[in-house]
Amino acid sequence: MTMELRHLRAFLAIAEEGTITRAAARLHIGQPALSRTLRQLEGHLGVRLVDRSTHHLELTAAGRRFGDKAAAALAAVETAFDPNSLAALPLRLGHPWAALGDLTVPLLRRWDAEYPEVPLELRRVDDRTAGLTRGKVDAALLRGEVTAPGLVTELLLEEERVAVVPADSSLAERGSLTLADLTEWPIALNTVAGTTTLDLWPAAVRPTTTIEVVNTDEWLTAIAVGRAVGISTTATPRLHTHPTIAYRPLTDAPPVPLFLAWRRGTPAHPALPQLLRLAREVATAPSP
């Protein structure tokens, strides 16, 4: 059977999402069709790419090696067919939410001052790698564990977590909160690009109700109207203020790492080294 781009897209979606169910929803196809596509790819390569022995799918060693190649190949194809690729090349910086927090504007201003000949485009893309594995951006600001194959990451900083609660709730009356304080409320979970899962709580105090959303706007709305509470990082209150939402320090949750990521094995944008240098400098500069 002839292999097609859909086989690469199917494998990368499975690798990034960790389950056939979420990958099928992302690709807008049925689960049986996606499973068949994976079997076709494995049959063509003659190796098992995905270990299906657990509820959460894991890549085999061969799968991890193939993932790097598949991500590079698909990104190269996306770039080749991009009608803008024949014009002046902007540097596309993706993010699924919050970008670089309150350091976003300083980064963009410094870039414009130092490299005015290269446009730096900030793009919000609602998926786990902010469009990086699909060739939609040249680099991305990603929070939490980065497991997508074919990516190189550099840690820029770590952000403390905050509880996000309705402003008229009793939780907003407190100066700080703990994970246990939130368990009686439904928890809003961004299943596409969020860093919060129920594994954040100890098993003895784990919430029993969740509301799943697919982007930051839906997440904020669920909290603002009082349907749920959420957990984010200190980047969010600096970018999203609203009279019906309150942010409180969360004292017993670990910080969230923020990475700059780019693709391995494909020609990088020529200005990527400059972006990496500026991002490091902005992230480590003393607070004013």
Side-chain angles (χ1 to χ4, degrees), residues 151-196:
L151 300 186
V152 182
T153 62
E154 170 143 343
L155 178 66
L156 296 178
L157 51 83
E158 291 190 327
E159 298 171 339
E160 297 299 321
R161 294 187 196 249
V162 296
V164 190
V165 302
D168 59 355
S169 68
S170 60
L171 295 177
E173 298 173 1
R174 308 185 195 180
S176 63
L177 295 168
T178 66
L179 290 167
D181 292 330
L182 306 180
T183 56
E184 293 187 1
W185 281 74
I187 307 297
L189 301 178
N190 183 337
T191 59
V192 172
T195 57
T196 302

Side-chain angles (χ1 to χ4, degrees), residues 17 62 70 127 135 188 218-219 257 270:
E17 297 296 339
D127 71 33
E218 291 183 8
W219 180 82

Side-chain angles (χ1 to χ4, degrees), residues 62 91-92 101 122 124 138 147-148 172 192 219 226:
L91 178 54
R92 303 164 301 171
L122 188 66
R124 174 179 149 183
D138 304 295
T147 59
V192 172
W219 180 82

Side-chain angles (χ1 to χ4, degrees), residues 93-97 122-132 134 136-137 139-142 192-193 214-215:
L93 178 60
H95 69 101
W97 55 277
L122 188 66
R123 299 186 179 182
R124 174 179 149 183
V125 183
D126 290 321
D127 71 33
R128 198 161 296 279
T129 67
L132 189 55
R134 293 186 285 154
K136 293 186 175 295
V137 296
L141 294 162
L142 304 176
V192 172
V214 298
N215 58 49

Side-chain angles (χ1 to χ4, degrees), residues 21-98:
T21 301
R22 289 203 299 264
R26 167 173 154 180
L27 296 172
H28 304 292
I29 62 175
Q31 296 179 42
L34 181 57
S35 296
R36 285 195 301 272
T37 301
L38 176 60
R39 289 196 298 270
Q40 291 166 356
L41 179 60
E42 291 178 324
H44 175 81
L45 296 174
V47 295
R48 178 65 64 87
L49 300 175
V50 177
D51 181 0
R52 304 166 179 82
S53 62
T54 61
H55 178 69
H56 184 85
L57 302 182
E58 299 286 347
L59 298 185
T60 63
R64 291 190 293 273
R65 291 192 296 272
F66 179 73
D68 289 347
K69 296 179 181 181
L74 188 58
V77 170
E78 296 282 0
T79 300
F81 286 104
D82 182 358
N84 297 319
S85 64
L86 301 179
L89 283 176
L91 178 54
R92 303 164 301 171
L93 178 60
H95 69 101
W97 55 277

Side-chain angles (χ1 to χ4, degrees), residues 98 101-102 162-167 216-217 219-221 223-224 232-248:
D102 61 349
V162 296
V164 190
V165 302
T216 300
D217 297 331
W219 180 82
L220 289 167
T221 299
I223 298 169
S232 189
T233 77
T234 50
T236 300
R238 294 163 183 166
L239 294 180
H240 299 284
T241 59
H242 195 279
T244 62
I245 291 177
Y247 298 93
R248 295 294 181 265

